[in-house]
Amino acid sequence: MRFLSLFLISFCSVLLPQSTLAMDNHWWHGVLSDQPLIQVKSTVQKGGLWYRCDTEWNDSEPSVDTLCLDEFSYYHQHLYGEVILRQETAEFVFLAQFQWQSWNDLILNLRKDGLVIKSIHFDDQEMDVLSSLKNKSADDVDKEVILMMNRYPPEANRRIQWVRSSEFQSASPSLAVSLISDGDMITLRVTRF
């Protein structure tokens, strides 16, 4: 009986932080979903650990609402965040120190969340995935993307553009994601329209 009590206490102590974290990050699922923008903005303003912060946007545009987040755990990645809420958009910017593992984990996490690569730009080389698929098989394009991503050193300037798979061919997707690095910092920029 004593063992069972200890097990339940241990289990609850492990489960509680994870469920609290999930509740704090429930706004993230709304951002990635196809919810209307007004609902996404309301969820961000009311949910999680977002707080009002002073930025240049608050002074220059009174209709803009800027919120900050000291720590956002995107799966196991710890990011600092800011969101600029405008009438027509919500633009999230998350930052982390560059590390290969962090960069690769973010790529995997975006894929887990149903996003696909629309284009990549590394230093002076650019590849539009949608255009490439018109002339080549999906397997050939996948190989080219992987080779291009592995060809450059950590300090290379890199930008990967992502969209929801359902909006891959859309000229005006409701969600646009950019994963950017200069070798020092990683920026995850998420824009909801």
Side-chain angles (χ1 to χ4, degrees), residues 9-176:
I9 290 170
S10 298
F11 180 75
C12 289
S13 67
V14 168
L15 188 61
L16 183 60
Q18 291 176 349
S19 64
T20 303
L21 180 64
M23 287 173 39
D24 288 342
N25 291 342
H26 80 281
W27 55 269
W28 179 244
H29 300 291
V31 170
L32 297 181
S33 76
D34 57 1
Q35 290 178 355
L37 178 61
I38 193 163
Q39 189 175 349
V40 170
K41 290 196 294 188
S42 175
T43 302
V44 168
Q45 288 169 325
K46 294 176 185 172
L49 301 172
W50 290 97
Y51 61 91
R52 295 204 186 292
C53 52
D54 292 327
T55 66
E56 63 186 66
W57 297 110
N58 291 347
D59 298 331
S60 63
E61 295 180 51
S63 63
V64 170
D65 195 9
T66 306
L67 303 171
C68 290
L69 186 64
D70 288 332
E71 187 171 344
F72 167 45
S73 293
Y74 183 37
Y75 292 91
H76 299 290
Q77 295 295 308
H78 299 286
L79 309 169
Y80 163 80
E82 178 180 285
V83 61
I84 302 165
L85 302 174
R86 294 185 175 91
Q87 186 172 345
E88 302 292 326
T89 62
E91 184 178 355
F92 298 82
V93 179
F94 300 101
L95 301 172
Q97 196 71 32
F98 181 84
Q99 294 176 355
W100 268 119
Q101 185 66 43
S102 298
W103 175 259
N104 290 328
D105 285 349
L106 285 167
I107 290 171
L108 292 174
N109 294 339
L110 290 168
R111 291 188 63 150
K112 273 188 223 173
D113 283 337
L115 300 174
V116 294
I117 296 174
K118 191 158 188 172
S119 67
I120 55 177
H121 188 170
F122 283 29
D123 279 344
D124 58 350
Q125 188 176 3
E126 189 169 354
M127 180 180 184
D128 182 324
V129 175
L130 184 59
S131 296
S132 296
L133 286 170
K134 292 176 184 173
N135 304 321
K136 300 173 185 172
S137 71
D139 286 343
D140 287 343
V141 173
D142 279 348
K143 287 176 191 173
E144 285 182 29
V145 167
I146 291 167
L147 286 172
M148 185 174 167
M149 291 170 70
N150 291 324
R151 185 177 307 138
Y152 289 86
E155 63 274 5
N157 288 314
R158 51 188 85 227
R159 175 188 297 263
I160 304 175
Q161 304 284 85
W162 302 77
V163 292
R164 284 191 207 100
S165 58
S166 61
E167 298 182 325
F168 183 66
Q169 296 186 21
S170 172
S172 54
S174 62
L175 173 72

